[in-house]
Amino acid sequence: MTYCPFKRDNFHVIDETAGLYYVYSPGSITIERFENMANNIKRPNGTEDVLPKDVHKWYTIEKIARETAESYGFSEIRIPTFESTDLYMRSVGETTDVVQKEMYTVMAKETKFTLRPEGTAGTIRAMLQNGLLNEAMPQRVFYILSCFRHERPQAGRLREFHQFGIEMAGSSSPCADAEVISLAKTILEHLGIRNIELYINSIGCPDCRAKYHEALREFFGARRDELCETCRTRLEKNPMRILDCKSPVCSEIGKNAPIILDYLCDDCREHFEKLQSYLKTLGIEFRINPKIVRGLDYYTKTVFEFVTTEIGAQGTVCGGGRYDGLIEELGGQKTPALGFAMGIERLLLVMDKQGCDYLTPKKCDIYFAAMGDAALEKAMMLCKELREFGYRAEYDVVGRGLKAQMKYANKIGAEFTMVIGDNELNDGAAKLKEMESGKETLIRLDDKFSNNFDAIFIDKMLDSLDEAEAVKVFETAAQEYVHEHGHDCNCGCKEDGCNG
Ligand code: HAM
């Protein structure tokens, strides 16, 4: 009998797993389940765990985004999780919500560091520091990384979230803007996401922005007292930021504010018109939304967002634009650049909602149930061989009986099982059981074991496909082979590399 910290009653602990108490309390004769709030450390608000059962969804997005970006000539870059705080002050901007309210900053040995709230600033810093901007232009990089912003958590808005992003440096042409937008759209299409609207806008260059700021100062100045405290300070320093304020009063006032498109200089207007014409050439539908100003200060000219209405208020799955002044601001040569980032958690919300396809979760291909030490050693060796072939093979590492081992094989959804005991060792052969159909095939436990298993496994896989799917599998495998090894078939077909 133990003292219960929750009910202040006496109880018997029946089972305790991961902080959950299943208890029998004598008074009420019921079995109850308590969560041990006192001892369990919870993950911080606004963060998420990705469990093994869901990780294939992440692999799907990462694989498709990575491969699509590579097909557009982008290569991966990896950057630190934290940077000097000054980097974000100078790039994201001192008057943005991100810098003023949302950064996770620590003071470490007299230097201020900040967990990255986004990927662009760190990426440009890394490109500058490593001389990438002295190499062939344009430079094209992509990244998959975690970001940290202290925002109020809600569906699609987290404090730690993940982005897939790209940056391209070295082109001021509007066709680079079209190329980057086309890449974002293709990724969304390859993910199978539907009903996404593309909104574009131009927020001009510092020249046209100066006139626009004057107009905004006049407009918001007339209702200064109604603005939130932060926006009152923004009125002087950076009035465009008021348009991005999350306070309901400021955003209501902002609805009738002047729009930047009326203040664009000739160069910026021409750039914007040319972009629209390229998007039409590429068959990319878009809408102009003059209200898009983006929440980060570095943008110039083109800004864009891909938005869905299907996941609630946080419907922007991708945002980006041009930032022609940032590289110079961070100490480099004047170099035009642009990019975008997609929120991976938001993509997942849309994909789940729309029932998009994910890569098939990986399951155990074969489970060996072993009886006795000699059989266990045989199972170990066979697993080692099969793993070299690329199979997911398991055997019992807990020391369970045969029944419990088979129960476990069922639970993990093993495609095949094989029981090995003294008889099988003596015969030098054992039955391979296909779990779904119950079909059994005797295979020898000799040095051809892995090849024989491979043949049976591939047969089963092809049986489960219809003819068209099977042809596709062969074609893809052939293409992948040629891609990796070149054409070397001895068939006399005269393709490059054919020995025939
Ligand atoms: P951003 O609009 O701040 O832009 O973020 C890009 C995307 O990250 C958003 O569209 C959204 O999908 C996701 N996201 C942002 N905040 C959160 C959050 N709190 N929780 C979940 N998802 C979120 C940038 O970060 C720029 N660096 C994009 C860029 C790259 N511009 C040029 N190059």
Side-chain angles (χ1 to χ4, degrees), residues 65 170-171 218 247 354 386:
S171 171
E218 200 174 310
S247 124
Q354 297 187 348
L386 286 173

Side-chain angles (χ1 to χ4, degrees), residues 118-120 143 149 151 156-158 161 163 166-167 294 296 298-299 316-321 323 338-343 346:
E118 54 99 59
T120 308
Y143 48 80
R149 296 185 193 175
E151 296 191 79
R157 189 159 75 193
L158 294 156
F161 59 98
Q163 288 186 342
I166 66 110
E167 312 296 344
R294 313 274 304 127
L296 313 161
Y298 46 65
Y299 291 109
T316 307
V317 294
C318 171
Y323 47 90
L338 70 167
F340 67 74
M342 302 180 165
R346 290 192 193 171

Side-chain angles (χ1 to χ4, degrees), residues 79-84 88 104 106 113-116 125 148:
I79 56 166
T81 309
F82 62 94
E83 299 268 0
S84 148
Y88 301 114
Y104 287 92
V106 289
F113 292 107
T114 295
L115 289 181
R116 64 182 167 224
R125 195 265 320 128
F148 306 85

Side-chain angles (χ1 to χ4, degrees), residues 64-329:
I64 289 178
R66 185 187 294 273
E67 288 177 0
T68 313
E70 282 168 355
S71 77
Y72 276 68
F74 287 76
S75 306
E76 183 165 359
I77 189 165
R78 297 189 185 192
I79 56 166
T81 309
F82 62 94
E83 299 268 0
S84 148
T85 303
D86 283 350
L87 175 69
Y88 301 114
M89 310 274 277
R90 276 163 62 181
S91 53
V92 170
E94 285 179 46
T95 52
T96 57
D97 269 4
V98 171
V99 167
Q100 288 189 322
K101 303 177 185 168
E102 297 167 3
M103 293 204 308
Y104 287 92
T105 297
V106 289
M107 192 75 186
K109 305 240 187 253
E110 294 171 13
T111 310
K112 262 189 179 178
F113 292 107
T114 295
L115 289 181
R116 64 182 167 224
E118 54 99 59
T120 308
T123 300
I124 295 301
R125 195 265 320 128
M127 289 170 96
L128 272 169
Q129 190 167 351
N130 295 285
L132 267 60
L133 299 175
N134 305 326
E135 294 177 13
M137 290 292 192
Q139 282 289 310
R140 302 174 218 231
V141 295
F142 72 85
Y143 48 80
I144 301 173
L145 42 74
S146 49
C147 300
F148 306 85
R149 296 185 193 175
H150 192 88
E151 296 191 79
R152 199 166 42 80
Q154 63 178 89
R157 189 159 75 193
L158 294 156
R159 290 182 174 168
E160 182 190 19
F161 59 98
H162 296 78
Q163 288 186 342
F164 171 84
I166 66 110
E167 312 296 344
M168 185 201 279
S171 171
S172 58
S173 162
C175 83
D177 305 43
E179 173 84 341
V180 158
I181 290 175
S182 159
L183 169 55
K185 178 155 172 76
T186 311
I187 293 173
L188 297 171
E189 273 170 11
H190 287 179
L191 291 172
I193 293 176
R194 305 172 300 277
N195 309 330
I196 292 264
E197 296 265 16
L198 164 63
Y199 294 101
I200 62 170
N201 190 22
S202 173
I203 56 168
C205 62
D207 282 350
C208 30
R209 200 100 49 87
K211 286 183 219 134
Y212 182 52
H213 278 174
E214 273 320 304
L216 285 179
R217 274 190 199 105
E218 200 174 310
F219 174 82
F220 285 115
R223 300 183 69 176
R224 191 176 194 284
D225 295 345
E226 295 167 65
L227 297 175
C228 74
E229 209 183 311
T230 322
C231 284
R232 264 179 260 151
T233 61
R234 286 168 171 165
L235 197 55
E236 278 320 305
K237 285 188 173 165
N238 190 354
M240 224 167 90
R241 286 273 68 89
I242 303 173
L243 298 170
D244 193 45
C245 180
K246 292 184 185 98
S247 124
V249 178
C250 299
S251 44
E252 187 56 39
I253 298 174
K255 279 184 181 160
N256 298 319
I259 57 170
I260 177 82
L261 289 179
D262 294 335
Y263 295 82
L264 291 186
C265 65
D266 290 348
D267 180 40
C268 290
R269 179 167 300 107
E270 204 180 302
H271 186 100
F272 193 46
E273 278 164 10
K274 201 74 189 141
L275 165 65
Q276 293 172 51
S277 125
Y278 286 136
L279 290 177
K280 284 180 192 146
T281 306
L282 291 168
I284 297 175
E285 283 178 27
F286 62 88
R287 287 214 226 157
I288 296 173
N289 180 354
K291 299 273 169 190
I292 296 181
V293 289
R294 313 274 304 127
L296 313 161
D297 265 357
Y298 46 65
Y299 291 109
T300 52
K301 294 187 176 166
T302 311
V303 286
F304 63 90
E305 290 180 350
F306 285 87
V307 183
T308 171
T309 51
E310 295 185 24
I311 53 168
Q314 304 304 316
T316 307
V317 294
C318 171
R322 186 167 269 290
Y323 47 90
D324 288 347
L326 179 62
I327 294 177
E328 197 179 18
E329 176 63 40

